Amino acid sequence: MAMKTVSTWKSHGGVQGVYTHASDVCGCDMTFAVFVPPQAAEGPLPVLWYLSGLTCTHANVMEKGEYRRLAAELGIIIVCPDTSPRGENVPDDKDDWQFGSGAGFYVDATVEPYARNYRMYTYITEELPALIAREFPADMERQSIFGHSMGGHGALTIALKHPDRYRSCSAFAPIVEPTTAGWSSKAFERYLGSDQDSWRKYDACALVKDGARFSEFLIDQGAADSFLDEGLRPWLFEECCREAGISLTLNMREGYDHSYYFISTFMNDHLRWHHQRLTA
């Protein structure tokens, strides 16, 4: 699991790096980005995980998310994994942008040929955290998680299944009920098989209905998002949280869409929100 440095840049007094390692979990080389703020010279810092959306890599938020200035000010390490395994020997469907490379959905696939590589849930929750703990000045007792779209789905489900690990969880335009959304349910069937009961552990609404709990959530959603009614439907999660007694702040942002223009606008709000909980 040796890590290799692809590139580093000094930014806001800290270091933005891109790294690779051979992943045993995914059976291929994986790439990820880490921003380490200047306060790391004084000791370990809290970690905030950002999970990207469909078609994205680590680079989308790294280049367009505008998180470094405030992360440097607050003293938070930002980790940005890739969204799926990649490589010549990794099975893919190049004609479907909602499946395969770039669309791992943060699940552990159980159906061949995808089960050999598409194990993003275990990669994000076990293998990569172990690498981060070993290679970076990270205080793994203080972790939080957030993400966008498919990555928002990943953040919500991972937090719900690990409430003692993460101090906070937020999302930009998350897919809250992927088991019933047309653009994700077909991926679930190809990754997980036809037994829909097995899908529930990767569905935020189903997890809450089945008894999973987390302290609170923050969601920002663009009201002009073209995917709002088809795949996102945050009101479904709002109803689940209300019935379960989970605190949820859902901000509907008029005029904003699904893009990084939207994400970067509210990135600082999320960083400050997480910082308050990471340092409480």
Side-chain angles (χ1 to χ4, degrees):
M1 209 166 65
M3 185 183 78
K4 298 179 181 179
T5 300
V6 176
S7 55
T8 58
W9 303 270
K10 187 165 184 176
S11 180
H12 296 283
V15 176
Q16 174 67 68
V18 176
Y19 309 91
T20 65
H21 72 111
S23 169
D24 292 332
V25 168
C26 296
C28 64
D29 288 347
M30 295 292 288
T31 302
F32 62 97
V34 180
F35 175 69
V36 178
Q39 296 92 327
E42 302 171 7
L45 299 175
V47 178
L48 180 55
W49 296 83
Y50 179 89
L51 306 186
S52 291
L54 279 162
T55 75
C56 293
T57 69
H58 66 282
N60 296 75
V61 68
M62 186 184 77
E63 295 171 358
K64 298 184 286 188
E66 300 181 19
Y67 57 80
R68 277 175 291 272
R69 184 196 63 77
L70 188 57
E73 178 183 321
L74 298 175
I76 304 174
I77 292 173
I78 309 290
V79 181
C80 308
D82 202 348
T83 50
S84 71
R86 299 176 193 270
E88 292 183 2
N89 297 320
V90 175
D92 190 15
D93 186 341
K94 298 184 183 303
D95 295 325
D96 188 351
W97 64 276
Q98 297 171 332
F99 184 80
S101 182
F105 278 96
Y106 303 100
V107 305
D108 281 352
T110 56
V111 175
E112 296 296 346
Y114 308 106
R116 292 192 297 272
N117 304 102
Y118 286 83
R119 302 180 61 205
M120 289 302 295
Y121 176 80
T122 296
Y123 178 71
I124 296 297
T125 60
E126 295 182 19
E127 187 177 38
L128 188 54
L131 182 63
I132 296 298
R134 190 179 76 232
E135 298 287 348
F136 295 91
D139 180 357
M140 303 305 282
E141 295 300 315
R142 293 187 291 164
Q143 297 185 70
S144 291
I145 190 166
F146 70 150
H148 169 233
S149 193
M150 179 186 72
H153 138 74
L156 295 178
T157 57
I158 288 171
L160 282 163
K161 289 192 281 187
H162 298 276
D164 296 329
R165 179 184 301 184
Y166 303 100
R167 296 197 180 185
S168 53
C169 175
S170 72
F172 300 101
I175 306 170
V176 302
E177 195 174 83
T179 59
T180 63
W183 66 339
S184 49
S185 59
K186 61 182 181 180
F188 272 40
E189 183 166 9
R190 294 178 72 182
Y191 285 137
L192 303 172
S194 58
D195 180 7
Q196 296 189 15
D197 284 342
S198 68
W199 303 3
R200 295 181 67 84
K201 63 183 177 180
Y202 299 114
D203 182 302
C205 287
L207 282 166
V208 172
K209 291 176 182 177
D210 291 346
R213 296 292 182 265
F214 196 74
S215 56
E216 60 178 329
F217 295 101
L218 168 65
I219 292 177
D220 273 282
Q221 171 65 61
D225 191 324
S226 60
F227 300 116
L228 181 58
D229 295 325
E230 174 189 358
L232 306 177
R233 305 172 295 168
W235 49 84
L236 298 178
F237 191 60
E238 184 178 37
E239 181 180 354
C240 289
C241 287
R242 184 186 307 113
E243 293 180 354
I246 299 173
S247 176
L248 166 63
T249 299
L250 172 59
N251 299 314
M252 296 299 298
R253 304 296 189 176
E254 292 299 323
Y256 286 93
D257 62 8
H258 201 67
S259 71
Y260 270 89
Y261 296 106
F262 156 63
I263 296 168
S264 62
T265 300
F266 300 103
M267 177 64 76
N268 284 354
D269 292 347
H270 284 244
L271 293 182
R272 291 190 179 96
W273 189 83
H274 286 292
H275 179 257
Q276 289 176 352
R277 288 147 182 82
L278 285 166
T279 57

